[in-house]
């Protein structure tokens, strides 16, 4: 670690012309230890970065190179901001001593059958998972996901929807507050999560003034990743996790607001039923405290004060997940609402946070909890 800390860390970004790659670059420019090396693209190879990311002024004159292992070689870190299914082949040709962070899904899933079902291509194996705050109940030796990232050379960065839902529900799953077989999540999503591809339903004429669900009925590719995370939080011997997951595009460029609910377990239902009206407040406070305790030491995941609800605007530009949790007594359910910037905490910020841990840097280096308002 002393060798890396004593010199600048040279980073290459593949897929630099996309939204995720551009956000990695925005954060990397402000990171005191990172030096930006090769920038690559596919269709935009040969163009200047300023033509596709005009907001990145200090890098505007950099020319995008083709995405090949030869161009990416010779760096300390390689970030793969490539479409799903495109990272595995490139990563397999990179040296073992290079830290590679995959922002796509190629190395997230443990189960090859789940990968085949939802992605339909060859499974490329699983890498250490880049969610430092993930609660790990499957191992007595590992408390949080960050414990698995120290010193590694391969990291699979989580999906953005996955991050919002996992952070909202995992404390209740890990502590037996909610039933893992009765989970529901409905999300509103900014259009940047769909990437830069030219598709009719992503045009302003179609999207402005409209909210549109997509991948409804258990078809969204993030579902197996969500259930995988929550199963890790529940423990190896827990009953299988199932979730109904429905994302909705709304006319904003960034952000995810995830409303995720779960039915209270019998123990907590009985406590609520046995309480008098004043006593219910105490029980509800005890349930809420589970979330507060889970994130008490997490800088980038914060439970808001009672009565304050998260909004996507509160997290824009920040590596922050803001959470509120309440008990719906009549329905016997927990309701969590989580806001993140899908391009920061949901993607690029998670990559930088995980990079810091892997290289022995302070976890917060180059990242902020301060949002952009109004």
């Amino acid at each position: 670690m002393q060798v890396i800390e004593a010199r600048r860390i040279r980073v290459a970004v593949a897929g630099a012309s996309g939204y995720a790659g551009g956000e990695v670059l925005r954060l990397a420019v402000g990171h005191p230890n990172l030096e930006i090396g090769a920038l690559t693209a596919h269709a935009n190879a040969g163009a200047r970065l300023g033509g596709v990311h005009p907001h990145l002024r200090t890098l505007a004159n950099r020319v995008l190179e083709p995405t090949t292992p030869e161009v990416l070689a010779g760096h300390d870190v390689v970030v793969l901001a490539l479409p799903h299914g495109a990272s595995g082949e490139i990563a397999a040709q990179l040296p073992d001593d290079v830290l590679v962070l995959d922002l796509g899904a190629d190395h997230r899933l443990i189960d090859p059958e789940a990968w085949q079902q939802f992605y339909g291509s060859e499974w490329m194996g699983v890498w250490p998972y880049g969610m430092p705050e993930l609660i790990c109940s499957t191992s007595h030796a590992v408390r949080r996901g960050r414990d698995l990232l120290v010193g590694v050379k391969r990291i699979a960065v989580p999906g953005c929807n996955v991050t919002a839902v996992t952070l909202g529900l995992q404390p209740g799953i890990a502590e037996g507050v909610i039933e893992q077989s009765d989970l529901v999540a409905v999300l509103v999503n900014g259009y940047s999560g769909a990437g830069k591809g030219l598709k009719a339903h992503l045009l302003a004429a179609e999207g402005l003034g409209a909210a549109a669900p997509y991948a409804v009925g258990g078809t969204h590719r993030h579902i197996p990743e969500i259930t995988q995370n929550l199963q890790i939080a529940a423990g190896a011997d827990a009953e299988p996790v199932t979730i109904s997951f429905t994302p909705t595009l709304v006319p904003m460029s960034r952000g995810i607001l995830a409303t995720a609910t779960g039915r209270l377990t019998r123990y907590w239902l009985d406590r609520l039923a046995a309480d008098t009206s004043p006593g219910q407040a105490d029980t509800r406070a005890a349930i809420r405290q589970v979330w507060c305790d889970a994130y008490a030491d997490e800088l980038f995941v914060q439970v808001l004060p009672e009565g304050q609800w998260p909004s996507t605007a509160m997290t824009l530009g920040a590596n922050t997940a803001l959470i509120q949790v309440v008990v719906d007594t009549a329905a016997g359910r927990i309701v969590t609402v989580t806001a993140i910037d899908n391009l920061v905490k949901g993607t690029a910020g998670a990559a930088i946070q995980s990079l810091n841990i892997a290289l022995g840097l302070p976890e917060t280096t180059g990242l902020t909890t301060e949002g952009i308002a109004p």
Side-chain angles (χ1 to χ4, degrees), residues 76-362:
D76 303 301
V77 178
V78 174
V79 178
L80 301 176
L82 302 174
H84 301 316
S87 299
E89 183 178 352
I90 291 289
Q93 300 177 69
L94 296 175
D96 292 339
D97 61 348
V98 173
L99 173 58
V100 183
L101 299 105
D102 184 5
L103 274 56
D106 291 29
H107 302 96
R108 297 173 187 163
L109 297 185
I110 297 171
D111 184 359
E113 292 184 5
W115 173 266
Q116 180 63 39
Q117 177 185 350
F118 283 87
Y119 292 91
S121 59
E122 181 184 359
W123 181 66
M124 301 301 294
V126 63
W127 289 357
Y129 192 67
M131 185 182 290
E133 302 89 356
L134 181 67
I135 296 174
C136 301
S137 299
T138 56
S139 171
H140 297 296
V142 178
R143 179 173 174 268
R144 293 291 167 106
R146 62 173 51 84
D147 299 335
L148 300 172
L149 297 175
V150 177
V152 302
K153 293 299 182 182
R154 298 291 188 271
I155 297 175
V157 179
C160 53
N161 295 314
V162 179
T163 297
V165 176
T166 298
L167 295 176
L169 289 176
Q170 66 170 355
I173 294 290
E175 295 299 324
V177 176
I178 52 180
E179 300 282 358
Q180 57 260 35
S181 60
D182 186 5
L183 305 174
V184 178
V186 178
L187 286 68
V188 293
N189 308 69
Y191 272 74
S192 60
K196 279 189 171 183
L198 295 178
K199 301 176 183 178
H201 74 285
L202 301 180
L203 297 174
E206 302 286 340
L208 292 179
Y214 64 100
V216 180
T219 61
H220 197 284
R221 289 175 166 181
H222 282 171
I223 290 174
E225 190 182 343
I226 294 170
T227 58
Q228 177 176 289
N229 288 352
L230 296 180
Q231 198 70 57
I232 291 171
D237 299 328
E239 64 179 290
V241 170
T242 58
I243 188 167
S244 173
F245 173 83
T246 305
T248 304
L249 286 172
V250 298
M252 61 184 184
S253 61
R254 289 175 179 248
I256 294 174
L257 190 71
T259 301
T261 79
R263 183 167 179 78
L264 288 165
T265 56
R266 175 50 54 188
Y267 169 81
W268 288 101
L269 287 172
D270 289 345
R271 277 190 58 168
L272 283 175
D275 279 340
T276 62
S277 182
Q280 281 187 350
D282 293 335
T283 299
R284 290 195 296 266
I287 293 172
R288 173 185 163 77
Q289 192 61 42
V290 170
W291 273 257
C292 294
D293 290 345
Y295 296 126
D297 298 326
E298 297 290 353
L299 178 63
F300 294 123
V301 184
Q302 301 171 11
V303 179
L304 294 175
E306 287 190 77
Q308 184 180 18
W309 291 95
S311 72
T312 56
M314 297 161 67
T315 65
L316 294 184
N319 192 52
T320 308
L322 299 179
I323 300 173
Q324 186 57 274
V325 56
V326 296
V327 180
D328 184 338
T329 304
R333 300 183 74 84
I334 289 291
V335 179
T336 68
V337 179
T338 304
I340 64 170
D341 183 326
N342 59 295
L343 292 179
V344 188
K345 186 56 179 167
T347 308
I352 297 295
Q353 188 179 347
S354 298
L355 174 154
N356 288 336
I357 296 169
L359 296 180
L361 301 172

Side-chain angles (χ1 to χ4, degrees), residues 16-17 25 39 47-54 56 59-64:
S17 61
L25 292 173
L39 308 180
R48 294 189 183 277
L49 187 71
V52 291
H53 291 308
L56 299 177
L59 302 173
N61 289 324
R62 295 288 299 275
V63 175
L64 294 166

